[in-house]
Amino acid sequence: MRKRVLLLSALLFPALSTASAQQKITLTWWINPWRIAPPGFPEGKTPTGEEFPKYISDQFMKKYPNVTVKYEVVPNQGFREKVTASIFAGNPPDVLRPIGFDTNLVKQNLLEPIDKYLTAEDRLDFLPYALNEGKVNGNYYMWPWNNSNNGMGSTMLLNPKIFAERKVALPKAPYRNWTLEQWLAAAQKLTFDRNGDGKTDVYAITLAAQDTENMLGWLNRFGGQLVNDQGTAFVINSKEGVAALQFMVDLIHKYKVAPDGASGLGVYDTIDNLHQGRAAMGYGGIYEIGRIDRYVKEGKLKDPINVLVAPFPNDPKTGPVAYQTSGGFVVFKQKDPYKQKMAMELARFITNKENDKLLEDLLYFSARKSVNKGFDFKGIAAYTDVRPQVTVYLNAIKSGKPYYGPSSIDVQPAMKYFTAAMQAALSKQKTPKQALDDFVAQATPLVFKK
């Protein structure tokens, strides 16, 4: 009898597999704007963010004609709220590139683990920290895609023209490491009144309280960190964190190398001050060189500026520190096994070697080691050679650490209090210690339920 059942199963299984292969399904996926130019994109034009997901969707549908793929480019502003609303409505996308991996999605049993879909080659090829970014309770939940970010929180951009004008030596490549003391000495020379009217025309740097990643970049200078290594408590109000915030306050109010009004500024204000020559230094990595090129083509920036990448200055006692981060794609739970399989296939397709190579156009690195070996970043812009900056950037992010603590915790609910603390300290409404103590007191119940 048992043999008959097995024989019947063997006869039926191919038929069921064929039926599944021909099953018509629709997959949805969401991504925030990534201005990646796919193959065949016209030279001289700048992508809008729609081109990459359209290309991926079209290619996937060619490979699987029975699958209809619908993508949506979700603006950064309001991204998290839209995802949350879709979950409450019971209609999240099948595949999502979250802005920051959210462990709560796993805790709420909303995501599919990807472990059984990872090949041995995948496991060897993905950067370990990028794969571990989506690891919860021993399982993986995210297909790694990009390695590092746009450089915010890791490196600075220097305007060598202003350095030359002020006769300030550039830190030496290929590391361009400099201590806080060396950096401050340069910053004081780079802040000046160009037209002699008694007002500062060029500042060395811009501090912006609403620019979280660069604020965290500064706070890590003396060994301060937002969360302890165990992921059990906020510790940014340590003596190291307080010393770092005091240094930031002093850059504005004592040394006057950064403009006042930091409490109302965000990251785009820091970018604009660099682009407009109001600051000799800004923030970001090689991606920001691409932003300059794009702004020139779009007419937002009249003249291209040549920039050099350099790490944040370091305290010799703690050494260099950069922001370790990555991103990828998650797959939401599926009731239909075939749809689950194809949703996972779509996430794999987006992050395979061939499609990961497209990140080079955006001056981003891949989470796959094999893909990064093939990047040469030549021909991005006629007026600058990106490749030396790539070397400096890669050297800088070797000292990466996760600014938001272990990926097993979600600190986002508390970050509005972090911004408030930065605003209070940089405007001198509170001392650095008062501001950071208040942040820890407000944030701890939200994240650690204490």
Side-chain angles (χ1 to χ4, degrees):
M1 181 65 184
R2 178 177 170 79
K3 287 184 177 178
R4 287 185 179 178
V5 172
L6 290 173
L7 179 61
L8 184 60
S9 298
L11 291 171
L12 285 175
F13 185 73
L16 289 172
S17 299
T18 303
S20 294
Q22 295 174 343
Q23 180 182 340
K24 292 189 180 299
I25 61 170
T26 297
L27 294 176
T28 58
W29 67 293
W30 293 358
I31 186 173
N32 60 326
W34 285 70
R35 296 169 182 266
I36 298 173
F41 188 77
E43 289 189 15
K45 290 191 175 182
T46 56
T48 64
E50 293 280 338
E51 297 82 359
F52 172 70
K54 183 178 186 308
Y55 171 80
I56 291 290
S57 301
D58 289 346
Q59 295 301 310
F60 192 80
M61 288 188 287
K62 284 182 182 177
K63 187 174 182 179
Y64 300 100
N66 62 314
V67 180
T68 299
V69 179
K70 295 182 178 180
Y71 70 88
E72 182 171 345
V73 178
V74 182
N76 292 319
Q77 187 170 13
F79 187 96
R80 294 176 188 276
E81 291 78 4
K82 183 177 174 68
V83 172
T84 301
S86 73
I87 292 171
F88 276 122
N91 189 33
D94 299 307
V95 177
L96 172 74
R97 187 199 176 278
I99 300 179
F101 181 70
D102 184 355
T103 57
N104 288 319
L105 298 179
V106 178
K107 294 173 183 174
Q108 295 169 25
N109 198 30
L110 293 170
L111 299 184
E112 298 279 4
I114 68 171
D115 300 59
K116 67 179 181 181
Y117 297 94
L118 285 169
T119 65
E121 183 183 4
D122 285 333
R123 291 174 186 264
L124 288 173
D125 198 22
F126 285 128
L127 291 163
Y129 93 85
L131 188 58
N132 288 333
E133 182 81 11
K135 188 177 183 180
V136 181
N137 297 328
N139 290 320
Y140 298 106
Y141 290 89
M142 184 167 69
W143 288 93
W145 183 46
N146 60 289
N147 168 26
S148 189
N149 63 346
N150 53 9
M152 296 298 174
S154 289
T155 51
M156 293 182 165
L157 295 181
L158 318 183
N159 184 331
K161 188 175 180 180
I162 297 179
F163 273 66
E165 179 181 357
R166 301 297 293 168
K167 296 182 171 54
V168 176
L170 292 161
K172 292 182 180 178
Y175 290 93
R176 292 207 177 99
N177 281 333
W178 42 3
T179 65
L180 283 162
E181 185 179 1
Q182 292 168 333
W183 181 88
L184 181 57
Q188 290 175 307
K189 293 179 182 176
L190 292 167
T191 302
F192 64 103
D193 169 15
R194 182 177 274 146
N195 58 16
D197 65 356
K199 299 178 181 177
T200 300
D201 296 305
V202 180
Y203 286 92
I205 193 74
T206 307
L207 295 177
Q210 299 171 46
D211 175 12
T212 303
E213 286 170 1
N214 288 315
M215 289 294 97
L216 286 170
W218 282 111
L219 286 169
N220 274 266
R221 290 311 95 194
F222 296 98
Q225 56 188 75
L226 186 67
V227 178
N228 63 12
D229 293 337
Q230 296 74 33
T232 57
F234 287 108
V235 292
I236 194 62
N237 58 341
S238 64
K239 65 177 183 181
E240 292 84 4
V242 171
L245 186 51
Q246 182 63 60
F247 182 76
M248 295 157 66
V249 172
D250 288 347
L251 291 180
I252 298 172
H253 300 285
K254 180 180 178 181
Y255 302 114
K256 301 185 184 302
V257 298
D260 202 354
S263 62
L265 301 181
V267 66
Y268 288 102
D269 296 300
T270 73
I271 293 171
D272 192 51
N273 278 351
L274 176 71
H275 287 186
Q276 301 306 323
R278 295 190 292 266
M281 294 180 275
Y283 305 100
I286 59 171
Y287 169 85
E288 291 300 321
I289 298 173
R291 185 195 298 276
I292 292 169
D293 185 49
R294 191 170 69 245
Y295 278 16
V296 170
K297 290 175 179 174
E298 293 174 349
K300 294 180 181 177
L301 187 59
K302 185 178 179 182
D303 298 314
I305 57 172
N306 186 25
V307 292
L308 302 177
V309 174
F312 271 63
N314 70 79
D315 171 22
K317 292 181 181 177
T318 57
V321 180
Y323 178 31
Q324 176 181 290
T325 184
S326 62
F329 291 84
V330 299
V331 176
F332 277 87
K333 286 279 185 182
Q334 304 290 329
K335 294 179 181 177
D336 180 346
Y338 180 66
K339 192 172 180 182
Q340 179 205 76
K341 174 186 172 184
M342 295 310 295
M344 203 63 76
E345 189 60 28
L346 175 59
R348 175 201 293 280
F349 184 77
I350 299 169
T351 59
N352 69 22
K353 292 181 184 178
E354 183 179 353
N355 290 322
D356 254 20
K357 292 176 183 175
L358 299 177
L359 285 167
E360 184 182 16
D361 174 74
L362 200 60
L363 297 179
Y364 254 76
F365 293 99
S366 166
R368 288 186 179 274
K369 290 177 276 189
S370 62
V371 173
N372 287 329
K373 289 180 181 176
F375 285 176
D376 62 18
F377 297 105
K378 65 181 180 181
I380 300 298
Y383 51 85
T384 186
D385 185 356
V386 175
R387 288 169 290 183
Q389 314 316 317
V390 170
T391 301
V392 176
Y393 186 72
L394 288 176
N395 284 332
I397 63 175
K398 287 178 183 174
S399 304
K401 61 183 291 188
Y403 284 173
Y404 296 93
S407 61
S408 56
I409 61 169
D410 178 17
V411 301
Q412 288 306 318
M415 293 314 290
K416 63 180 180 181
Y417 294 111
F418 175 83
T419 298
M422 296 300 101
Q423 291 173 318
L426 295 182
S427 62
K428 299 189 78 171
Q429 293 178 16
K430 295 180 181 177
T431 67
K433 180 161 178 44
Q434 287 171 333
L436 294 178
D437 281 346
D438 287 351
F439 162 70
V440 171
Q442 293 166 318
T444 296
L446 294 174
V447 176
F448 299 110
K449 313 298 181 188
K450 293 180 180 177

